[in-house]
Amino acid sequence: MPSPLPVRDGVGATRLHVPLTGAWPTVAAYMVERFFHLDPERLLERFDRGDIVRADGSPVPRDAALGSVEFVWYYREPAVETRMPFEIEILHQDDHLVVVDKPHFLPTTPGGKFLQNSALVRLRNLLDNADLAPIHRLDRATAGLLMFSTRPATRGAYQLLFEKRQVQKVYEAVSELPENGTLPSFPVVYRNNIEKLRGQVRVQVDESKEPNSETLVELIRADDRVVHTLLRPHSGKMHQLRVHLAALGIGILNDRFYPELQEDRPDDYDRPLQLLARELRFVDPISGQDRVFTTRRTLQEAPVSDA
């Protein structure tokens, strides 16, 4: 469903589904209850200013009866953001595709308290392209290669590559050496069942179910402090690599979610998650060319080669 509002400052309008029936006399009353954490009067003033609109772009008045409109659009009004102190590096750009090196801590798309501090919004503003959209995603904590489509007409062709698992993805991770010094027998293929449940920040693992995720883990090197591994995921489940390494007893350094969920606290830019999207390989569906993209970033805790 197309938005009646244009992209503004790199950010698209938010769409909200409004119930057609219920205990609320008006659309505004429903939104006041739905967004109970916001100042009700400020929200009602947005109706009066015409900031909340229907699919045809016309304003929804504050007295619009419930059932008179099913979807409304509006721009989010987040708290003032402090710009994160790092930049996105563009590695490749053509008429259809942009490939960037995403830093740690920057989310792929806007969400929660992150709006201008997202890879998508920064790139839209930098390239002056409101049609830019991510083809896949990286966790906010993960750094490395991220691909964006520049044109809606060819976006589906690139998305299909990921759906059909025709993109070879390679990651690196650095984990703390287990206390007993015993490592898995590399290379190792790890499989399990991962499910993302609504409202939970971590995924759920169910060993009784058929595996739906698979990762090949290879050893790069290890020293008396850390283990540096190469990861080749066959599937793309949320938090898959973090879950698999934690299950192998070599949870990724600075991971706040696995194996144990840590208390929420401000980001420590000096302690990024030691996970990096290192390489992407695929046959370009438009040009037919073999594409290989490699990150220029490194993991700060990786052991130094003896060479």
Side-chain angles (χ1 to χ4, degrees):
M1 186 180 298
S3 171
L5 298 174
V7 171
R8 185 175 71 181
D9 296 329
V11 182
T14 296
R15 185 185 72 183
L16 175 68
H17 178 261
V18 180
L20 297 177
T21 60
W24 310 273
T26 64
V27 173
Y30 167 75
M31 291 185 66
V32 166
E33 182 173 319
R34 167 73 181 268
F35 302 109
F36 61 90
H37 56 287
L38 301 178
D39 179 2
E41 193 54 42
R42 287 191 61 183
L43 181 55
L44 293 173
E45 288 173 357
R46 298 193 64 188
F47 280 92
D48 296 339
R49 293 197 305 265
D51 292 346
I52 299 173
V53 304
R54 299 181 177 88
D56 62 2
S58 62
V60 178
R62 74 155 72 187
D63 61 355
L66 193 74
S68 63
V69 59
E70 186 174 4
F71 293 96
V72 298
W73 281 260
Y74 58 90
Y75 294 110
R76 289 178 55 205
E77 291 187 341
V80 176
E81 291 181 86
T82 300
R83 183 175 176 84
M84 289 185 181
F86 28 70
E87 303 298 330
I88 290 177
E89 181 181 4
I90 297 177
L91 302 180
H92 172 83
Q93 183 177 358
D94 60 34
D95 290 341
H96 307 281
L97 191 65
V98 174
V99 182
V100 304
D101 237 350
K102 185 185 83 67
H104 296 283
F105 302 105
L106 195 71
T108 299
T109 56
K113 61 183 178 180
F114 302 101
L115 192 60
Q116 293 297 323
N117 281 316
S118 65
L120 175 60
V121 173
R122 283 196 181 183
L123 279 175
R124 280 178 172 174
N125 291 330
L126 179 65
L127 302 178
D128 192 24
N129 182 356
D131 289 330
L132 205 71
I135 299 171
H136 65 120
R137 282 169 169 75
L138 288 180
D139 289 344
R140 187 173 80 85
T142 305
L145 299 176
L146 186 58
M147 292 170 43
F148 291 83
S149 161
T150 65
R151 302 175 60 196
T154 56
R155 185 168 301 146
Y158 290 99
Q159 290 173 329
L160 199 60
L161 291 177
F162 284 88
E163 292 175 12
K164 292 185 174 182
R165 297 180 180 176
Q166 294 175 343
V167 179
Q168 297 177 45
K169 296 175 286 186
V170 181
Y171 291 74
E172 289 181 42
V174 177
S175 307
E176 186 175 4
L177 189 73
E179 290 185 3
N180 60 12
T182 302
L183 295 176
S185 180
F186 296 109
V188 57
V189 175
Y190 194 86
R191 304 178 182 89
N192 66 3
N193 185 282
I194 293 176
E195 183 179 0
K196 175 64 174 72
L197 300 180
R198 186 180 181 88
Q200 295 190 15
V201 297
R202 300 205 309 169
V203 298
Q204 178 174 289
V205 174
D206 190 338
E207 301 296 349
S208 68
K209 292 183 178 180
E210 188 73 19
N212 61 3
S213 63
E214 178 181 309
T215 305
L216 170 62
V217 184
E218 301 171 279
L219 179 66
I220 297 177
R221 66 180 63 87
D223 59 17
D224 58 359
R225 184 180 62 91
V226 297
V227 184
H228 191 189
T229 53
L230 196 70
L231 314 171
R232 302 180 189 273
H234 180 64
S235 51
K237 296 297 181 181
M238 181 177 178
H239 294 174
Q240 174 178 320
L241 303 179
R242 300 163 72 170
V243 169
H244 285 181
L245 288 186
L248 289 169
I250 48 173
I252 301 174
L253 276 173
N254 305 329
D255 193 341
R256 296 185 185 180
F257 286 12
Y258 308 95
E260 299 295 333
L261 180 63
Q262 300 177 19
E263 64 179 21
D264 189 27
R265 59 183 184 273
D267 289 331
D268 183 348
Y269 295 152
D270 293 327
R271 291 174 53 82
L273 178 73
Q274 293 298 281
L275 180 60
L276 177 67
R278 168 174 167 166
E279 184 178 281
L280 292 171
R281 290 176 177 265
F282 58 94
V283 176
D284 192 294
I286 307 301
S287 68
Q289 295 178 316
D290 289 331
R291 298 282 202 183
V292 181
F293 299 108
T294 305
T295 183
R296 295 176 185 172
R297 298 182 182 273
T298 58
L299 293 172
Q300 66 185 33
E301 299 293 344
V304 178
S305 172
D306 295 332

